[in-house]
Amino acid sequence: MKEAIAILDFGSQYTQLIARWVRHAKVYCKIYPYSTEVETLKRDKVTGIILSGGPASVFAEKAPRPDVRIFDLGIPVLGICYGLQLMGAMLGGEVAKSESREYGHGTLRFKQESRLFDGISRGEIRVWNSHGDRMIRLPLGFKAIGVTENSEFAAIESESQRLYGLQFHPEVSHTEGGSDILKNFLYKICGCKGDWVLEEFIKIKTEEIRTTVGNAHVILGLSGGVDSSVAAALIHQAIGDQLTCVFVDNGLLRKGEREEVEELFRGHFNMDLKVIDARARFLKALKGVNDPEQKRKIIGREFVFVFEETVKGMKEVEFLAQGTLYPDVIESVPINGSPATLIKTHHNVGGLPEEMNLKLMEPLRELFKDEVRELGEKLGLPHKLLWRHPFPGPGLGVRVMGDIREEYLEILRNADAILIEEMREGGYYDEVWQAFCVFLPIRTVGVMGDERTYDYVIAVRIVESEDAMTADWARLPHEFLQKVSNRIINEVKRVNRVVLDISSKPPSTIEWE
Ligand code: XMP
């Protein structure tokens, strides 16, 4: 891959969206802190630079600014929103301070022909605005190519300097033709050909893994989720039996999960898979523990212990592989003078300690989730696994409220399996973000046949969401809910009541603990 776009991040909530659109257009890109020096960009041989939007005002005392030399590199630069204002302010134009933010839809009218708008035949498009300040005088050499109701300079360019700016957000789906505008920047202006294809990635990574590993051995903690499964398939394709996958059965898995992992990875892929039955150990450690945070800590701690013990017993392990993804490693931007760049901790990893003395191998760390799914497909992983709903690391441990007992887990596993089966059957599974059952250790009175019952409650949680930051309960047909409820009460022993969770996030969370 020879093409690479640098996205300088000024703290916009949409920065990752820009990156995803660029990748969608088959061009590799990386997000850099806004202060990255031109030497780094030159070293990385970037083909184009995009300045993201950001929450700051160019007038703020500590307004984040890029290395001014980026404008002289001769490499095309596209400034989006705050990025456009920076370009204006740093190159001698004028930006007006604004007290209120312009937020929402606007209409962009094309004023002059521009390669940015190539192929967009309409004379105007709906665009998405979210900005405070706006440009009121252009820097030398620039012209306006598009105007909106509130701005004479909503789209600008200086073709000879290869500098472009958009006041609105092309990366947001509310902007009509936004992806075409970005594509035009990449293909028509930066001259990209689109060499970011996953087949190529597989070839390069496979080679890289082989060279790095040599004759050594790699270990990977397989959870059965998308990321670790795809990492396992990729590494296995590269080094075969030099990879050992460890799957820890902590007793908090869903029905049939362990068997499915065994069947796929050992059976189908013929991988060296160690399944560690640690059910008793986890249950013992969790006995009598009610506090959710405490439960999470114990589950994390026990996992590390079991994993370490397993690795100790193996010879010549040199690498620890993990399915870390790009969003886990993007550095968050210190805006408004916060001191150091922070690396997000990834909560799926479980904090494997440094004393393990293994070298980290993270072959997916450049990829977004959708790319990982596509990669998984190319590596032959089943659709069902790749599109599985998220499942929390602590598993059913945070879906049995309070004290965890085997009896409760068994009830929950059976109820959950019915819900998931019905979700698939009804065609709703792929439509929602998550669907699961929660076990409530409360008993209520019921009547079955002629008998009075006094049994437990199952709560059904089905949510729609884009990114799990906010979520709403899915409005599924009453007939469907009725069927789920009937089946759970009839088929799962010790359950005589099913309730539906109709809370949104916020203020509730998706999981109950
Ligand atoms: P909440 O409950 O915070 O969940 O609204 C947001 C999303 O994160 C998942 N989740 C976790 N995932 N380890 C994980 O790997 C965890 O400890 C954990 N807790 C919550 C949850 O299922 C939802 O998709």
Side-chain angles (χ1 to χ4, degrees), residues 279-310:
R279 288 177 295 179
R281 196 191 159 86
F282 276 81
L283 270 190
K284 191 161 161 232
L286 287 165
K287 195 164 187 279
V289 181
N290 280 283
D291 178 64
E293 278 313 305
Q294 199 59 25
K295 281 159 85 175
R296 275 172 196 268
K297 275 202 193 109
I298 292 171
I299 296 167
R301 183 191 74 202
E302 291 302 311
F303 176 81
V304 171
F305 182 84
V306 172
F307 197 82
E308 263 189 308
E309 286 299 298
T310 312

Side-chain angles (χ1 to χ4, degrees), residues 19-40:
R20 274 157 59 189
W21 275 116
V22 174
R23 297 272 185 99
H24 257 294
K26 302 203 182 309
V27 176
Y28 180 69
C29 65
K30 218 171 113 178
I31 297 172
Y32 293 75
Y34 67 84
S35 53
T36 304
E37 297 189 338
V38 291
E39 284 75 16
T40 307

